[in-house]
Amino acid sequence: MIRSEILKEIAPIIRDHLVVCNIGLPSQELHMIDDQPTNFYMLGTMGLSSSIGFGLALAQSKSVISIDGDGSVLTNLGTLPTIANNATGNFTLLIIDNGSYGSTGDQPTYAGKKTSLTAVARACGCDTVIEVQDKDLGPVLQAAIDSDEMTIIVCKCDSGNIKLPVITMDPVVIKHRFMEAVKA
Amino acid sequence: MNIDKKITDDLVANDVSFVTTVPCKQLAGVIEEIDQRSEIFHIPSNKEDEGMGLCAGAFMGGKRSAIIMQNTAIGVTINTLATLTQFYRMPLPMIISYRGELREPVACQVEMAVHTKALLAQMHIPTYHFHWQDDVREFDNILKYTFMCNKPVAILTDANFWGGYGDQ
Ligand SMILES: Cc1ncc(C[n+]2csc(CCOP(=O)(O)OP(=O)(O)O)c2C)c(N)n1
Ligand SMILES: [Mg+2]
């Protein structure tokens, strides 16, 4: 499965939760598949999906899912020790690991080669790290959201993209709508 | 006046309850003070752009946040300041140790010091410079200003402000 197929499959699972979505195609795809006020779309700032989602999870009690990419986690590897050492049960980090920088044309990342983000996350001190194949993600994600344990999911999948438009919503509107949903 | 305590008191009085830090020798005292205060959740970050991401999330979660870092981190965070903090219009007080200024013992620090104010000006970031201990009296007003205008705001604090480096 490719990322857009995964997002289609998990959309009903994440719909009612706070979601921080990675820059580029992941946000464009989620926006097209199931736009929700509870979605925070990153329009830039590669690497910070996990940090933004984690800050949000620490600041309030609702469940938060950060949808991240392998390339973006590699660029902000320092995030994993921070998350591990300040764990909060309402946070789930979903790394869609397609082994490539998908949004920029599927250039390979080291996560698709010798580097295991699952092993990295464990070595950083994350207690619950689950590596899962794309087709098995749904139940694993649902269980992670339902549990009181902070969970890092590394979802292995194929690289590949669909054609779709950029998000034209103004960033301040995205933020405002999201903050209202957080408070609701 | 204990400036570490004054800075922390003002943060608490302005309802800042989420602070991330990357240390600098000059900031050791204020970081220790913040760590001890129950009103503030202190989360050290590994890199300052990561810290700004944490602050953005905490802000959207309803907590006022701040970052404490060294001026060298301006070189690390330009993209995050532009595409996250400024693009989405989020407030962020940045308490910055201004290394490489008068009474600096380490030559390399001067290399970023000479760019610091120019970079902040280029980013249109409101910037204040504390050189004398008395300058800290403005801190409360700066925090109120930051949360009024929803912008990142820089408070540069140099070695003279922190009392120099002793005999180094
Ligand atoms: C600092 C910076 N460098 C490069 C880019 C270009 N860029 C945008 S998205 C992206 C790929 C992200 O890859 P990954 O996190 O694996 O997500 P995927 O698209 O594969 O789902 C890159 C390199 C950027 N936005 N910012
Ligand atoms: Mg990828």
Side-chain angles (χ1 to χ4, degrees):
Chain A
M1 292 167 80
I2 61 174
R3 182 185 50 248
S4 57
E5 294 168 323
I6 292 172
L7 291 176
K8 232 172 249 159
E9 194 155 303
I10 65 170
I13 299 172
I14 61 177
R15 178 171 296 145
D16 296 327
H17 299 288
L18 301 175
V19 176
V20 175
C21 192
N22 195 22
I23 176 183
L25 292 174
S27 271
Q28 293 172 35
E29 288 166 359
L30 184 61
H31 176 259
M32 184 195 70
I33 291 164
D34 191 23
D35 181 34
Q36 293 289 335
T38 45
N39 294 347
F40 180 77
Y41 303 112
M42 293 179 65
L43 303 172
T45 339
M46 175 185 175
L48 295 191
S49 174
S50 59
S51 306
I52 297 168
F54 191 60
L56 175 66
L58 289 170
Q60 52 81 57
S61 57
K62 288 182 181 169
S63 189
V64 177
I65 301 133
S66 276
I67 300 178
D68 219 331
D70 52 318
S72 299
V73 172
L74 285 169
T75 217
N76 182 26
L77 270 184
T79 189
L80 292 170
T82 303
I83 289 170
N85 286 280
N86 297 278
T88 175
N90 61 337
F91 183 62
T92 305
L93 174 59
L94 170 60
I95 304 171
I96 300 189
D97 184 356
N98 55 6
S100 72
Y101 296 103
S103 295
T104 47
D106 279 331
Q107 298 85 355
T109 68
Y110 292 125
K113 297 185 173 180
K114 289 179 71 174
T115 304
S116 160
L117 288 177
T118 308
V120 172
R122 288 203 180 111
C124 287
C126 298
D127 289 325
T128 310
V129 186
I130 304 172
E131 184 169 309
V132 66
Q133 199 57 47
D134 41 21
K135 62 175 181 14
D136 303 320
L137 175 62
V140 171
L141 178 61
Q142 184 67 61
I145 294 169
D146 293 342
S147 93
D148 289 338
E149 287 282 308
M150 182 182 77
T151 309
I152 317 296
I153 302 172
V154 179
C155 177
K156 298 297 252 180
C157 66
D158 301 319
S159 58
N161 303 299
I162 53 170
K163 271 217 152 16
L164 77 179
V166 297
I167 296 172
T168 53
M169 209 189 310
D170 190 274
V172 178
V173 174
I174 294 174
K175 175 196 72 173
H176 181 74
R177 193 178 75 149
F178 186 69
M179 287 179 71
E180 292 299 307
V182 171
K183 276 189 278 183
Chain B
M1 177 170 36
N2 177 335
I3 50 180
D4 298 327
K5 195 168 174 311
K6 161 77 172 140
I7 288 170
T8 311
D9 285 346
D10 284 353
L11 286 170
V12 171
N14 283 277
D15 211 20
V16 175
S17 58
F18 187 101
V19 175
T20 189
T21 61
V22 178
C24 166
K25 203 168 178 180
Q26 288 181 0
L27 299 169
V30 71
I31 292 173
E32 199 182 322
E33 184 70 31
I34 276 165
D35 215 25
Q36 283 167 8
R37 293 291 285 264
S38 60
E39 303 96 324
I40 296 178
F41 178 74
H42 173 216
I43 179 165
S45 46
N46 295 304
K47 213 166 181 187
E48 295 81 357
D49 55 345
E50 180 209 349
M52 289 180 183
L54 293 168
C55 285
F59 168 71
M60 290 195 289
K63 288 202 165 174
R64 286 185 169 188
S65 52
I67 188 165
I68 299 182
M69 65 187 202
Q70 193 175 87
N71 63 313
T72 45
I74 297 297
V76 174
T77 55
I78 296 273
N79 178 49
T80 300
L81 284 164
T83 64
L84 182 63
T85 320
Q86 291 181 324
F87 197 39
Y88 289 87
R89 285 186 64 82
M90 297 181 185
L92 183 65
M94 303 186 287
I95 301 156
I96 303 170
S97 65
Y98 194 6
R99 298 296 305 264
E101 262 290 323
L102 298 182
R103 301 177 73 176
E104 171 67 55
V106 180
C108 186
Q109 295 287 3
V110 181
E111 296 304 312
M112 270 310 284
V114 298
H115 298 298
T116 296
K117 284 187 175 174
L119 289 168
L120 290 166
Q122 176 63 46
M123 296 295 289
H124 298 175
I125 291 175
T127 299
Y128 300 88
H129 180 169
F130 291 178
H131 181 62
W132 303 108
Q133 293 222 338
D134 254 10
D135 295 339
V136 78
R137 290 178 199 278
E138 206 83 88
F139 188 57
D140 177 61
N141 277 331
I142 295 169
L143 289 174
K144 290 183 166 58
Y145 176 82
T146 306
F147 293 108
M148 174 274 296
C149 66
N150 280 340
K151 290 178 189 296
V153 172
I155 303 110
L156 299 170
T157 57
D158 66 24
N160 196 70
F161 173 75
W162 294 108
Y165 286 85
D167 290 333
Q168 259 186 68

Coordinates of all heavy atoms in Angstrom, one line a residue, chain B residues 38-105:
Chain B
S38 N 6.8 24.8 40.4 CA 5.8 23.8 40.1 C 4.8 24.4 39.1 O 4.1 23.7 38.4 CB 5.0 23.5 41.3 OG 4.5 24.6 41.9
E39 N 4.7 25.7 38.9 CA 3.8 26.3 38.0 C 4.2 26.2 36.5 O 3.4 26.4 35.6 CB 3.6 27.8 38.3 CG 3.2 28.2 39.7 CD 4.4 28.6 40.6 OE1 5.5 27.9 40.4 OE2 4.3 29.5 41.4
I40 N 5.5 25.8 36.3 CA 6.0 25.7 35.0 C 6.4 24.3 34.7 O 7.1 23.6 35.4 CB 7.2 26.6 34.8 CG1 6.8 28.1 34.9 CG2 7.9 26.4 33.4 CD1 8.0 29.1 34.8
F41 N 5.9 23.7 33.5 CA 6.4 22.5 33.0 C 7.6 22.7 32.2 O 7.6 23.4 31.2 CB 5.3 21.8 32.2 CG 5.7 20.4 31.6 CD1 5.9 19.3 32.5 CD2 6.0 20.3 30.3 CE1 6.3 18.1 31.9 CE2 6.5 19.1 29.8 CZ 6.6 18.0 30.6
H42 N 8.8 22.2 32.6 CA 10.0 22.4 31.9 C 10.4 21.1 31.1 O 10.5 20.1 31.7 CB 11.1 22.7 32.9 CG 12.5 22.8 32.3 ND1 13.6 22.4 32.9 CD2 12.9 23.2 31.0 CE1 14.7 22.5 32.1 NE2 14.3 23.0 31.0
I43 N 10.5 21.3 29.8 CA 10.9 20.2 29.0 C 12.1 20.5 28.1 O 12.1 21.3 27.2 CB 9.7 19.7 28.1 CG1 10.1 18.5 27.2 CG2 9.1 20.8 27.2 CD1 9.0 17.8 26.6
P44 N 13.3 20.0 28.5 CA 14.5 20.3 27.7 C 14.3 19.7 26.3 O 13.8 18.6 26.1 CB 15.6 19.5 28.5 CG 15.0 19.3 29.9 CD 13.6 19.2 29.7
S45 N 14.8 20.4 25.3 CA 14.8 19.9 24.0 C 16.2 19.7 23.5 O 17.1 20.2 24.0 CB 13.9 20.8 23.0 OG 14.3 22.1 23.2
N46 N 16.3 18.9 22.4 CA 17.7 18.6 21.9 C 18.2 19.6 20.9 O 19.4 19.7 20.6 CB 17.7 17.2 21.3 CG 17.4 16.2 22.4 OD1 18.1 16.1 23.4 ND2 16.3 15.4 22.2
K47 N 17.2 20.3 20.2 CA 17.6 21.3 19.3 C 16.5 22.3 19.3 O 15.3 22.0 19.6 CB 17.6 20.7 17.9 CG 18.7 21.3 17.0 CD 19.0 20.5 15.8 CE 20.1 21.2 14.9 NZ 20.3 20.5 13.6
E48 N 16.8 23.6 19.0 CA 15.9 24.7 19.3 C 14.7 24.7 18.3 O 13.6 25.1 18.7 CB 16.6 26.0 19.2 CG 17.7 26.2 20.3 CD 19.0 25.5 20.0 OE1 19.1 24.8 19.0 OE2 20.0 25.6 20.8
D49 N 14.9 24.2 17.1 CA 13.7 24.1 16.2 C 12.7 23.1 16.8 O 11.5 23.3 16.7 CB 14.1 23.8 14.8 CG 14.9 22.6 14.6 OD1 15.5 22.0 15.6 OD2 15.0 22.1 13.4
E50 N 13.2 22.0 17.3 CA 12.4 21.0 17.9 C 11.6 21.7 19.1 O 10.4 21.5 19.2 CB 13.2 19.8 18.5 CG 12.4 18.8 19.2 CD 13.2 18.0 20.3 OE1 14.5 18.2 20.4 OE2 12.6 17.3 21.1
G51 N 12.3 22.4 19.9 CA 11.7 23.2 21.0 C 10.6 24.1 20.5 O 9.5 24.2 21.2
M52 N 10.8 24.8 19.4 CA 9.7 25.6 18.9 C 8.5 24.9 18.4 O 7.4 25.3 18.5 CB 10.3 26.5 17.8 CG 11.3 27.6 18.3 SD 11.9 28.6 17.0 CE 13.1 29.6 18.0
G53 N 8.7 23.6 18.0 CA 7.6 22.8 17.6 C 6.8 22.4 18.9 O 5.6 22.4 18.9
L54 N 7.5 22.0 19.9 CA 6.9 21.7 21.2 C 6.1 22.9 21.7 O 4.9 22.8 22.1 CB 7.9 21.3 22.3 CG 8.7 20.0 22.0 CD1 9.9 20.0 23.0 CD2 7.8 18.8 22.2
C55 N 6.6 24.1 21.6 CA 6.0 25.3 22.0 C 4.7 25.6 21.2 O 3.7 26.0 21.7 CB 6.9 26.5 22.0 SG 8.2 26.5 23.3
A56 N 4.8 25.4 19.9 CA 3.6 25.6 19.0 C 2.5 24.6 19.4 O 1.3 25.0 19.5 CB 4.0 25.4 17.6
G57 N 2.8 23.4 19.7 CA 1.8 22.4 20.1 C 1.2 22.8 21.4 O 0.0 22.7 21.6
A58 N 2.1 23.1 22.4 CA 1.5 23.5 23.7 C 0.6 24.7 23.6 O -0.4 24.8 24.3 CB 2.7 23.8 24.6
F59 N 1.0 25.7 22.8 CA 0.2 26.9 22.6 C -1.2 26.5 22.1 O -2.2 27.0 22.6 CB 0.9 27.9 21.7 CG 0.0 29.0 21.2 CD1 -0.4 30.0 22.2 CD2 -0.5 29.0 20.0 CE1 -1.3 31.0 21.8 CE2 -1.4 30.0 19.6 CZ -1.7 31.0 20.5
M60 N -1.2 25.6 21.1 CA -2.5 25.2 20.5 C -3.3 24.4 21.5 O -4.5 24.3 21.4 CB -2.3 24.5 19.2 CG -1.8 25.4 18.1 SD -1.9 24.8 16.4 CE -0.7 23.5 16.5
G61 N -2.6 23.8 22.4 CA -3.3 23.0 23.5 C -3.7 23.9 24.7 O -4.2 23.4 25.7
G62 N -3.5 25.2 24.5 CA -4.0 26.1 25.5 C -3.0 26.6 26.6 O -3.4 27.3 27.5
K63 N -1.8 26.3 26.4 CA -0.8 26.7 27.4 C 0.2 27.8 26.7 O 0.6 27.6 25.6 CB 0.1 25.5 27.8 CG -0.7 24.6 28.7 CD 0.3 23.8 29.6 CE -0.5 23.2 30.8 NZ 0.3 22.3 31.5
R64 N 0.4 28.8 27.5 CA 1.4 29.8 27.0 C 2.8 29.2 27.1 O 3.1 28.6 28.2 CB 1.3 31.1 27.8 CG 0.1 31.9 27.4 CD 0.1 33.2 28.1 NE -0.9 34.1 27.6 CZ -1.1 35.4 27.9 NH1 -0.2 35.9 28.9 NH2 -2.0 36.1 27.4
S65 N 3.6 29.3 26.1 CA 4.9 28.7 26.1 C 6.0 29.7 25.8 O 5.8 30.8 25.4 CB 4.9 27.5 25.1 OG 4.5 28.0 23.8
A66 N 7.2 29.3 26.2 CA 8.4 30.1 25.9 C 9.6 29.2 25.7 O 9.6 28.0 26.1 CB 8.7 31.0 27.1
I67 N 10.6 29.8 25.0 CA 11.9 29.0 24.8 C 13.0 29.8 25.4 O 13.1 31.1 25.3 CB 12.1 28.7 23.3 CG1 13.2 27.8 23.1 CG2 12.2 30.0 22.5 CD1 13.3 27.1 21.7
I68 N 14.0 29.1 26.0 CA 15.2 29.7 26.5 C 16.4 29.0 25.7 O 16.5 27.8 25.7 CB 15.3 29.5 28.0 CG1 14.1 30.1 28.7 CG2 16.6 30.0 28.5 CD1 14.2 30.0 30.2
M69 N 17.2 29.9 25.1 CA 18.2 29.3 24.2 C 19.3 30.3 24.0 O 19.3 31.4 24.5 CB 17.6 28.9 22.8 CG 17.1 30.2 22.1 SD 16.1 29.7 20.6 CE 16.3 31.2 19.6
Q70 N 20.4 29.9 23.3 CA 21.5 30.7 23.0 C 21.3 31.4 21.7 O 20.6 30.9 20.8 CB 22.8 29.9 23.0 CG 24.1 30.6 23.0 CD 25.3 29.7 23.1 OE1 25.8 29.2 22.1 NE2 25.7 29.4 24.3
N71 N 22.0 32.6 21.5 CA 21.8 33.3 20.2 C 22.3 32.5 19.0 O 21.8 32.7 17.9 CB 22.5 34.7 20.2 CG 24.0 34.5 20.4 OD1 24.5 33.8 21.3 ND2 24.7 35.3 19.6
T72 N 23.2 31.6 19.2 CA 23.7 30.7 18.1 C 22.5 30.0 17.5 O 22.5 29.6 16.3 CB 24.7 29.7 18.6 OG1 24.3 29.2 19.8 CG2 26.1 30.4 18.8
A73 N 21.5 29.7 18.3 CA 20.3 29.0 17.8 C 19.5 29.8 16.8 O 18.6 29.2 16.1 CB 19.4 28.6 19.0
I74 N 19.7 31.1 16.7 CA 19.0 31.8 15.6 C 19.3 31.2 14.3 O 18.5 31.0 13.4 CB 19.4 33.3 15.6 CG1 19.0 34.0 16.9 CG2 18.8 34.0 14.4 CD1 17.5 34.0 17.2
G75 N 20.6 30.7 14.2 CA 21.0 30.0 12.9 C 20.4 28.7 12.7 O 20.3 28.2 11.6
V76 N 19.8 28.1 13.7 CA 19.2 26.8 13.7 C 17.7 27.0 13.4 O 17.1 26.1 12.8 CB 19.3 26.1 15.0 CG1 18.6 24.8 15.0 CG2 20.8 25.8 15.3
T77 N 17.1 28.1 13.7 CA 15.6 28.2 13.8 C 15.0 29.1 12.8 O 13.7 29.3 12.9 CB 15.2 28.6 15.2 OG1 15.9 29.9 15.5 CG2 15.6 27.6 16.3
I78 N 15.7 29.7 11.9 CA 15.1 30.6 10.9 C 13.9 30.0 10.2 O 12.8 30.6 10.1 CB 16.2 31.1 9.9 CG1 17.3 31.9 10.6 CG2 15.5 32.0 8.8 CD1 17.1 33.3 10.8
N79 N 14.1 28.8 9.7 CA 13.0 28.2 8.9 C 11.8 28.0 9.8 O 10.6 28.2 9.4 CB 13.5 26.9 8.3 CG 12.4 26.1 7.6 OD1 11.7 26.7 6.7 ND2 12.2 24.9 7.9
T80 N 12.0 27.5 11.0 CA 10.9 27.2 11.9 C 10.2 28.5 12.3 O 8.9 28.6 12.3 CB 11.4 26.5 13.1 OG1 12.0 25.3 12.7 CG2 10.2 26.2 14.1
L81 N 10.9 29.6 12.6 CA 10.3 30.8 12.9 C 9.5 31.4 11.8 O 8.3 31.8 12.0 CB 11.4 31.9 13.3 CG 12.1 31.7 14.6 CD1 13.4 32.5 14.7 CD2 11.1 32.1 15.7
A82 N 10.0 31.2 10.5 CA 9.2 31.8 9.4 C 8.0 30.9 9.1 O 6.9 31.4 8.9 CB 10.1 31.9 8.2
T83 N 8.2 29.6 9.0 CA 7.1 28.7 8.4 C 6.2 28.2 9.5 O 5.1 27.7 9.1 CB 7.7 27.6 7.6 OG1 8.5 26.7 8.5 CG2 8.6 28.0 6.5
L84 N 6.5 28.3 10.7 CA 5.6 27.8 11.8 C 5.2 28.9 12.6 O 4.0 29.4 12.6 CB 6.3 26.7 12.6 CG 5.5 26.1 13.7 CD1 4.2 25.3 13.1 CD2 6.3 25.1 14.6
T85 N 6.1 29.5 13.4 CA 5.7 30.5 14.4 C 5.1 31.7 13.8 O 4.0 32.2 14.2 CB 6.9 30.9 15.3 OG1 7.7 29.7 15.6 CG2 6.5 31.5 16.6
Q86 N 5.7 32.2 12.7 CA 5.2 33.5 12.1 C 4.1 33.2 11.1 O 3.0 33.9 11.1 CB 6.3 34.2 11.4 CG 7.3 34.8 12.3 CD 8.5 35.6 11.6 OE1 8.9 35.2 10.6 NE2 8.9 36.7 12.2
F87 N 4.2 32.1 10.3 CA 3.2 31.8 9.3 C 1.8 31.5 9.9 O 0.8 32.0 9.4 CB 3.7 30.6 8.5 CG 3.0 30.4 7.2 CD1 2.6 31.5 6.3 CD2 2.7 29.1 6.7 CE1 2.0 31.3 5.1 CE2 2.1 28.9 5.5 CZ 1.7 30.0 4.7
Y88 N 1.8 30.8 11.1 CA 0.6 30.5 11.7 C 0.2 31.5 12.8 O -0.8 31.3 13.5 CB 0.6 29.1 12.4 CG 0.6 27.9 11.4 CD1 1.8 27.5 10.8 CD2 -0.6 27.3 11.0 CE1 1.8 26.4 9.9 CE2 -0.6 26.3 10.1 CZ 0.6 25.8 9.5 OH 0.6 24.8 8.7
R89 N 1.0 32.5 13.0 CA 0.8 33.6 13.9 C 0.7 33.1 15.4 O -0.4 33.1 15.9 CB -0.4 34.5 13.6 CG -0.1 35.4 12.4 CD -1.2 36.4 12.1 NE -1.5 37.3 13.3 CZ -0.8 38.4 13.5 NH1 0.2 38.7 12.6 NH2 -1.0 39.2 14.5
M90 N 1.8 32.7 15.9 CA 1.8 32.2 17.3 C 2.8 33.0 18.1 O 3.8 33.4 17.7 CB 2.3 30.7 17.3 CG 1.4 29.8 16.5 SD 2.0 28.1 16.6 CE 0.9 27.2 15.6
P91 N 2.4 33.3 19.4 CA 3.3 34.0 20.3 C 4.4 33.1 20.8 O 4.2 32.0 21.1 CB 2.3 34.4 21.4 CG 1.3 33.4 21.5 CD 1.1 32.9 20.1
L92 N 5.6 33.7 20.9 CA 6.7 32.9 21.4 C 7.8 33.8 22.0 O 8.6 34.4 21.3 CB 7.3 32.0 20.4 CG 8.5 31.1 20.9 CD1 7.9 30.1 21.9 CD2 9.2 30.4 19.8
P93 N 7.8 34.0 23.3 CA 8.9 34.7 23.9 C 10.1 33.9 23.9 O 10.1 32.7 24.2 CB 8.4 34.9 25.4 CG 7.0 34.4 25.5 CD 6.8 33.5 24.3
M94 N 11.2 34.5 23.4 CA 12.5 33.8 23.2 C 13.5 34.5 24.1 O 13.9 35.6 23.8 CB 13.0 33.8 21.8 CG 12.0 33.2 20.8 SD 12.6 33.1 19.1 CE 12.6 34.8 18.6
I95 N 13.8 33.8 25.3 CA 14.8 34.4 26.2 C 16.2 33.9 25.7 O 16.4 32.7 25.8 CB 14.5 34.0 27.6 CG1 13.1 34.5 28.0 CG2 15.6 34.5 28.6 CD1 12.5 33.7 29.1
I96 N 17.0 34.7 25.2 CA 18.2 34.3 24.4 C 19.5 34.9 25.1 O 19.6 36.1 25.3 CB 18.1 34.9 23.0 CG1 16.8 34.4 22.3 CG2 19.4 34.5 22.2 CD1 16.6 35.1 21.0
S97 N 20.4 34.0 25.4 CA 21.7 34.4 25.9 C 22.5 35.0 24.7 O 22.6 34.3 23.7 CB 22.4 33.3 26.6 OG 22.8 32.3 25.7
Y98 N 22.9 36.2 24.8 CA 23.6 36.9 23.7 C 25.1 36.7 23.9 O 25.7 37.6 24.4 CB 23.1 38.4 23.8 CG 23.4 39.2 22.5 CD1 24.0 38.6 21.4 CD2 23.2 40.5 22.5 CE1 24.2 39.4 20.3 CE2 23.4 41.3 21.4 CZ 23.9 40.8 20.3 OH 24.2 41.5 19.2
R99 N 25.6 35.6 23.5 CA 27.0 35.3 23.6 C 27.7 36.1 22.5 O 27.2 36.5 21.5 CB 27.2 33.8 23.4 CG 26.6 32.9 24.4 CD 27.2 33.2 25.8 NE 28.6 33.1 25.8 CZ 29.2 31.9 26.2 NH1 28.6 30.9 26.6 NH2 30.6 31.9 26.2
G100 N 29.0 36.4 22.8 CA 29.9 37.1 21.8 C 29.8 38.6 21.9 O 30.2 39.3 21.0
E101 N 29.2 39.1 23.0 CA 29.1 40.5 23.2 C 30.2 40.9 24.2 O 31.0 40.1 24.6 CB 27.7 40.9 23.7 CG 26.8 41.4 22.6 CD 27.2 42.7 22.1 OE1 27.6 43.6 23.0 OE2 27.1 43.0 20.9
L102 N 30.1 42.2 24.7 CA 31.1 42.6 25.7 C 31.3 41.7 26.9 O 30.3 41.1 27.4 CB 30.7 44.0 26.2 CG 30.6 45.1 25.2 CD1 30.3 46.5 25.8 CD2 31.9 45.2 24.4
R103 N 32.5 41.4 27.3 CA 32.9 40.5 28.4 C 32.8 39.1 28.0 O 32.8 38.2 28.8 CB 32.0 40.8 29.6 CG 32.2 42.3 30.1 CD 31.3 42.6 31.3 NE 31.8 42.0 32.6 CZ 31.2 42.2 33.8 NH1 30.2 43.0 33.9 NH2 31.7 41.6 34.8
E104 N 32.8 38.8 26.7 CA 32.8 37.4 26.2 C 34.2 36.9 26.2 O 35.1 37.5 25.6 CB 32.2 37.4 24.8 CG 32.3 36.0 24.1 CD 31.5 34.9 24.7 OE1 30.3 35.1 24.9 OE2 32.1 33.9 25.1
P105 N 34.5 35.7 26.7 CA 35.8 35.2 26.7 C 36.1 34.3 25.5 O 37.2 33.9 25.2 CB 35.9 34.4 28.0 CG 34.5 33.9 28.3 CD 33.6 35.0 27.7

